[in-house]
Amino acid sequence: MTFYELFQQTMPMLLKGAVITLKLTIVVLPLAVLLGLISCLLGMTKHFKFISNIYIAIIRGTPIIVQVFFIYFGLTQFFRFRMTAYTAGVISLSMNAGAYLSEIFRGGIQAVNIGQTEAARSLGMSYSSTMRKVILPQAFRIVIPSVVNQFIITLKDTSIISVIGLMDIVMQAKQIIARTYKSFIVWLLVGCVYFVICYTLSKISQYIERRLSVGKNRN
Amino acid sequence: MAKIEIKGLIKKFGKLEVLKGIDLQVEEGEVVCLIGPSGSGKSTLLRCINCLEQPTEGSVTVDGDVLTDKKIDINIARENIGMVFQQFNLFPHLTVMQNIILAPVDRKIMSKNQAIKIGMGLLERVGLADKKDQYPSQLSGGQQQRVAIARALCMGPDVMLFDEPTSALDPEMVGEVLDVMRELAEDGMTMVIVTHEMGFAREVADRVLFLDGGYILEQGTPEQIFGNPQNERTKSFLEKVL
């Protein structure tokens, strides 16, 4: 079998896997941002801070593959219910990325100079107005590179989901290799597919960053 | 009744006692300059007047509002007290005009159109009308500080607090900011100014307060303080800075 023939046979399957990967990512990212925001806001309160702390500690303290297995096999067995591999993937990846995003958001808010809060509060603006109109718009710009970075990590982390049987790029590749024994070429192609997606994403983010740098404080 | 009335003000940061019992009255239209070595508590005293620092003990009353009373809406009280910072603290993501109108519109003191009209007048007053659509990073330090003054004035405050407003400026830009403050003083604004500009204090202040170690050690007219200081520490401080 020539390289060209292998390429022709393999790519449609890999691209089908890529669609699953992308679909999963597109569902996971907004959920992760939402979880991250909630956790970040809880982390800034006095009484509910512990929820955010525990959540982040657990996610940071365990490997993602353990989280996936625990949710897909562990929880379903313990509470006696069924869950599709896709649902388990969405839940575990969202929770995982959410915890990291929560820390990124917190860092972004803290990175805004305290003088900004003081200026706004001295003008009579309430805490929540100050947050919404002064701090968060600045924090948003600060966190974009880190958030995009986390998005790319999460996109790549979706490859973990193949262990519970979802037909993503990695799972497709495994099946092709099982048939053809062409490890080198197939994994190389898999790498290329991921690379193209991730590289495009980081280029888009650079463009957004440049667009948003207007009026940035260069002091 | 005094415009600002401070009674028995004590401020501690943890175990460190920065203000050890300050009593101060500022009359309407009076310009008071706070001088003293660094770490003497000047800035902390100023920041206690609008409760950016919560006083540990004592009371602060501005224009009849008891700011240290827990029941008071501190945001409404602050609308009446403008503050200008050493580092300007303009909002870098907003244009000059947006900086100025943000708070008055947010606090619903005026409509956006009204705020823009008043903001335009204030920018003309500080000589920066042509900069209204620029971002703070495009302005010089002196220009930024003048915008910060206009931003504080747009709320229509009765009292203005200045926290070392010229300390972060290049020497050639100090004058333009002091000119704006001088005009403000002449218009009868009640002002409390923490400053290292002794010449300015001498010229503009009605009263000069010397702080050291958390106490007001000496106060009087600029002539008294600069011409004939009584306290030893005032003397040695002035010898160093003049």
Side-chain angles (χ1 to χ4, degrees):
Chain A
M1 194 160 34
T2 64
F3 171 75
Y4 181 69
E5 281 169 356
L6 185 67
F7 183 84
Q8 244 186 346
Q9 286 179 12
T10 310
M11 273 321 265
M13 292 179 73
L14 288 185
L15 289 180
K16 225 165 84 186
V19 170
I20 304 254
T21 297
L22 280 174
K23 269 187 185 165
L24 191 61
T25 311
I26 287 167
V27 175
V28 163
L29 291 185
L31 285 173
V33 168
L34 190 68
L35 273 174
L37 278 177
I38 293 170
S39 164
C40 177
L41 290 175
L42 285 178
M44 290 194 298
T45 60
K46 227 184 215 162
H47 301 294
F48 302 105
K49 200 177 177 169
F50 73 99
I51 298 176
S52 161
N53 286 347
I54 293 171
Y55 166 51
I56 292 165
I58 290 174
I59 298 293
R60 271 213 285 225
T62 54
I64 186 166
I65 195 161
V66 176
Q67 293 160 17
V68 173
F69 281 150
F70 182 77
I71 287 171
Y72 187 55
F73 297 118
L75 285 185
T76 47
Q77 186 191 58
F78 190 78
F79 293 106
R80 297 173 186 287
F81 70 106
R82 279 169 188 281
M83 190 191 286
T84 62
Y86 179 80
T87 310
V90 168
I91 293 174
S92 53
L93 286 168
S94 308
M95 287 191 68
N96 186 278
Y100 292 108
L101 285 172
S102 169
E103 285 293 271
I104 290 170
F105 294 151
R106 190 175 61 90
I109 289 169
Q110 283 174 350
V112 177
N113 192 318
I114 182 75
Q116 295 288 310
T117 307
E118 290 181 349
R121 297 305 305 273
S122 78
L123 289 162
M125 289 171 68
S126 66
Y127 175 78
S128 74
S129 278
T130 301
M131 264 297 162
R132 274 184 296 117
K133 296 178 181 174
V134 177
I135 306 303
L136 290 182
Q138 294 182 60
F140 178 68
R141 285 171 207 201
I142 295 171
V143 301
I144 286 177
S146 312
V147 167
V148 172
N149 196 36
Q150 182 59 47
F151 281 5
I152 291 173
I153 290 173
T154 300
L155 189 143
K156 293 194 287 187
D157 278 351
T158 58
S159 59
I160 297 276
I161 301 306
S162 61
V163 297
I164 53 174
L166 211 69
M167 292 300 283
D168 74 327
I169 307 178
V170 170
M171 195 63 173
Q172 295 278 9
K174 280 183 183 167
Q175 295 198 343
I176 296 165
I177 293 165
R179 265 201 335 264
T180 61
Y181 297 107
K182 302 279 185 192
S183 276
F184 178 77
I185 295 293
V186 173
W187 286 123
L188 187 69
L189 287 176
V190 168
C192 289
V193 172
Y194 272 112
F195 182 84
V196 167
I197 299 173
C198 293
Y199 191 73
T200 312
L201 201 62
S202 61
K203 279 290 155 199
I204 292 173
S205 94
Q206 274 176 17
Y207 172 75
I208 296 173
E209 252 177 83
R210 262 205 307 278
R211 287 290 304 272
L212 283 174
S213 70
V214 184
K216 198 167 143 191
N217 202 339
R218 291 187 194 87
N219 282 338
Chain B
M1 197 183 142
K3 203 74 173 168
I4 303 174
E5 193 157 358
I6 298 172
K7 280 187 191 154
L9 174 61
I10 292 176
K11 174 64 188 176
K12 293 179 191 167
F13 292 105
K15 280 185 183 158
L16 182 71
E17 200 173 26
V18 179
L19 299 176
K20 299 173 180 167
I22 301 278
D23 294 290
L24 175 64
Q25 291 197 351
V26 180
E27 300 302 323
E28 182 157 9
E30 197 179 10
V31 178
V32 172
C33 282
L34 304 178
I35 62 169
S38 61
S40 59
K42 312 178 294 283
S43 287
T44 306
L45 171 56
L46 194 77
R47 291 158 62 87
C48 280
I49 297 177
N50 66 355
C51 285
L52 271 190
E53 302 292 355
Q54 191 64 41
T56 312
E57 270 176 56
S59 71
V60 176
T61 310
V62 177
D63 219 7
D65 297 327
V66 185
L67 271 76
T68 38
D69 184 348
K70 286 210 163 52
K71 278 172 274 176
I72 200 165
D73 184 338
I74 188 74
N75 296 329
I76 292 175
R78 279 180 181 149
E79 287 174 1
N80 195 31
I81 311 170
M83 187 164 198
V84 176
F85 300 84
Q86 183 177 353
Q87 297 297 339
F88 330 132
N89 294 343
L90 292 180
F91 307 131
H93 60 301
L94 301 177
T95 64
V96 165
M97 184 54 90
Q98 288 167 340
N99 261 277
I100 291 174
I101 66 172
L102 179 69
V105 174
D106 176 71
R107 298 296 300 165
K108 298 192 170 62
I109 290 175
M110 51 187 91
S111 70
K112 195 176 168 189
N113 285 335
Q114 252 179 313
I116 290 175
K117 214 190 258 170
I118 293 173
M120 212 48 223
L122 287 166
L123 279 178
E124 273 163 25
R125 197 164 148 192
V126 300
L128 292 170
D130 55 327
K131 305 284 187 196
K132 69 180 173 67
D133 294 323
Q134 307 236 308
Y135 285 93
S137 59
Q138 296 168 299
L139 305 181
S140 72
Q143 291 170 332
Q144 289 192 46
Q145 194 62 298
R146 284 186 279 154
V147 171
I149 294 172
R151 178 176 70 177
L153 289 175
C154 200
M155 296 294 291
D158 278 347
V159 173
M160 284 286 283
L161 309 175
F162 293 84
D163 190 0
E164 301 194 26
T166 58
S167 295
L169 296 177
D170 291 336
E172 75 265 28
M173 290 167 186
V174 171
E176 63 193 59
V177 172
L178 293 183
D179 285 343
V180 170
M181 290 168 64
R182 190 175 293 120
E183 256 176 60
L184 208 53
E186 280 161 10
D187 288 350
M189 177 66 76
T190 309
M191 293 160 73
V192 182
I193 307 166
V194 172
T195 187
H196 293 295
E197 299 288 336
M198 297 304 158
F200 178 76
R202 189 170 212 158
E203 177 200 346
V204 176
D206 296 307
R207 185 151 51 113
V208 176
L209 271 59
F210 176 74
L211 266 82
D212 195 11
Y215 296 104
I216 298 175
L217 289 186
E218 189 168 359
Q219 56 177 304
T221 62
E223 292 76 29
Q224 285 169 344
I225 298 290
F226 293 111
N228 185 22
Q230 301 300 313
N231 188 293
E232 282 307 317
R233 274 197 267 177
T234 316
K235 281 182 199 168
S236 75
F237 173 74
L238 288 174
E239 269 168 28
K240 279 179 211 149
V241 298
L242 285 180

